[in-house]
């Protein structure tokens, strides 16, 4: 797995993922808030399967 998620993209994914999970835990949103696990995981790992399918890459090449 080559990384395909860049720095700012990773930070945004982590923030959005944590916000959705927190909102679900605090009962501001329903169970759908736990979908925040997906952007959180892809932000931490630095790899997004959807980006691969679409041929996208937001990180700099090494």
């Amino acid at each position: 797995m080559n990384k395909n998620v860049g720095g700012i993209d990773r930070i945004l994914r982590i923030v959005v993922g944590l916000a959705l999970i927190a909102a679900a835990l605090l009962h501001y949103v329903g169970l759908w808030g736990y979908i925040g696990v997906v952007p959180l995981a892809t932000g931490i790992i630095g790899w997004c399967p959807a980006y691969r399918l679409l041929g996208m890459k937001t990180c700099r090449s090494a």
Side-chain angles (χ1 to χ4, degrees):
M1 280 189 317
N2 293 332
K3 293 192 183 286
N4 61 4
V5 179
I8 294 173
D9 193 3
R10 288 180 77 177
I11 292 169
L12 289 174
R13 287 170 182 263
I14 292 169
V15 169
V16 168
L18 289 173
L20 282 170
I21 293 167
L25 288 171
L26 297 172
H27 303 290
Y28 288 121
V29 297
L31 290 176
W32 67 267
Y34 289 107
I35 196 73
V37 169
V38 174
L40 179 64
T42 57
I44 291 171
I45 296 169
W47 183 77
C48 178
Y51 275 15
R52 178 162 185 197
L53 288 173
L54 297 172
M56 295 175 58
K57 192 173 188 180
T58 60
C59 65
R60 294 183 178 152
S61 297

